Amino acid sequence: LQRSLVSMKKVRGTIADWWGKFGFIDPAEPIDHPLAGRHGGKVYLAAEDVQEEIPGIGARVTFFVYSDSNGIGAMHVRPAADSPA
């Protein structure tokens, strides 16, 4: 799917759900985008968009938001600097 970067601003959030190859991030602040409500305000996360190993559900992460025809998603996802290793 064609992706469009929503903002150049890095966003913070927490891994809310994970099912092996994909999951959802609960953003620290609501994402300002017309499709942001499509998944209950959560941001889609695909395994291939994870840049560094993340401990799992509950882990704090940083990411950039993109949009595509399915809604909004996270790319360049990595553990937040203040997240325990």
Side-chain angles (χ1 to χ4, degrees):
L1 296 172
Q2 180 72 31
R3 292 179 170 188
S4 298
L5 193 61
V6 170
S7 170
M8 292 298 295
K9 181 182 168 211
K10 196 180 285 188
V11 178
R12 297 174 74 83
T14 304
I15 303 294
D17 303 294
W18 187 254
W19 295 285
K21 297 282 184 194
F22 72 98
F24 287 92
I25 298 171
D26 193 8
E29 296 180 18
I31 306 297
D32 182 20
H33 190 275
L35 297 176
R38 188 167 277 188
H39 301 291
K42 293 179 182 174
V43 180
Y44 176 80
L45 169 61
E48 58 265 24
D49 288 308
V50 176
Q51 292 195 321
E52 291 180 27
E53 188 171 339
I54 294 170
I57 293 174
R60 290 190 302 272
V61 294
T62 61
F63 57 98
F64 291 95
V65 178
Y66 70 85
S67 66
D68 64 20
S69 59
N70 288 330
I72 59 170
M75 59 196 296
H76 304 294
V77 182
R78 54 185 55 212
D82 62 353
S83 195

